[in-house]
């Protein structure tokens, strides 16, 4: 069984409830009924992205760590999503989602496993500053912003 497979009683996108088993794709995307759903206002490391722990110098698979954190946030939670934009350039609906009433994107940013997008306004800038000040998640590592990483990898 896939360790990233999650079971929910229901998930709602744009006010429509669905039953099923969404899977976490990466740190800011999950899949429901075959459709990838993208969390708005954040950028998590790519699955293949690695970072370096500042204290030890160890290489950390930070893309995998971000995905694992999202799995923990969603596990057993009631998920509700509101579509806030039609679709991104990868044809995913862009959504604001909540796990048991808590903003999922904010949880990721506060824990340091996602950052705000470069050059775009975000509701999560203050949360990002707190994570950085407290060296949480990515902020305890040397890392390349996911947007720059994608640009370099393409």
């Amino acid at each position: 069984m896939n360790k990233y497979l999650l079971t929910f009683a229901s998930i709602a996108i744009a006010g429509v409830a669905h039953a099923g088993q969404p899977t976490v794709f990466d740190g800011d995307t999950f899949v429901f009924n075959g459709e990838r759903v993208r969390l708005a206002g954040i950028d998590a490391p790519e699955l293949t992205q690695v970072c370096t722990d500042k204290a030890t110098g160890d290489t950390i698979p930070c893309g995998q760590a971000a995905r694992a954190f999202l799995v923990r946030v969603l596990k057993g939670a009631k998920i509700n999503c509101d579509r806030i934009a039609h679709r991104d350039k990868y044809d995913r609906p862009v959504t604001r989602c909540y796990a048991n009433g808590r903003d999922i994107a904010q949880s990721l940013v506060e824990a340091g496993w996602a950052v705000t997008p470069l050059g775009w306004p975000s509701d999560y800038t203050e949360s990002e500053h707190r994570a950085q000040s407290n060296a949480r998640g990515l902020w305890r590592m040397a890392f390349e912003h996911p947007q720059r990483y994608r640009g370099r990898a393409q």
Side-chain angles (χ1 to χ4, degrees), residues 92-111:
R92 300 173 296 191
V94 178
T95 61
R96 184 164 302 225
C97 297
Y98 303 87
N100 294 330
R102 174 111 167 92
D103 186 323
I104 295 168
Q106 184 163 4
S107 295
L108 286 158
V109 173
E110 285 178 352

Side-chain angles (χ1 to χ4, degrees), residues 4-141:
Y4 297 108
L5 186 65
L6 304 172
T7 304
F8 298 101
S10 68
I11 184 168
I13 297 176
V16 179
H18 302 280
Q21 297 180 335
T23 57
V24 172
F25 180 76
D26 62 19
D28 53 24
T29 308
F30 59 91
V31 181
F32 185 75
N33 287 343
E35 181 173 49
R36 288 186 187 174
V37 177
R38 174 72 161 85
L39 295 171
I42 64 169
D43 204 357
E46 296 299 308
L47 286 176
T48 58
Q49 196 166 343
V50 295
C51 303
T52 304
D53 187 292
K54 290 177 183 175
T56 66
D58 292 339
T59 301
I60 308 292
C62 53
Q64 295 290 329
R67 177 170 66 175
F69 183 81
L70 181 56
V71 167
R72 288 191 303 274
V73 167
L74 298 180
K75 188 174 185 176
K78 179 180 178 191
I79 309 300
N80 295 300
C81 298
D82 297 316
R83 190 172 293 193
I84 62 168
H86 293 295
R87 293 190 176 267
D88 67 7
K89 69 180 186 177
Y90 302 107
D91 199 35
R92 300 173 296 191
V94 178
T95 61
R96 184 164 302 225
C97 297
Y98 303 87
N100 294 330
R102 174 111 167 92
D103 186 323
I104 295 168
Q106 184 163 4
S107 295
L108 286 158
V109 173
E110 285 178 352
W113 292 115
V115 294
T116 58
L118 295 172
W120 291 91
S122 176
D123 293 337
Y124 307 111
T125 302
E126 288 181 30
S127 295
E128 181 179 66
H129 291 299
R130 281 192 301 276
Q132 185 176 10
S133 295
N134 292 299
R136 293 184 194 131
L138 295 170
W139 298 106
R140 73 175 197 279
M141 302 178 211

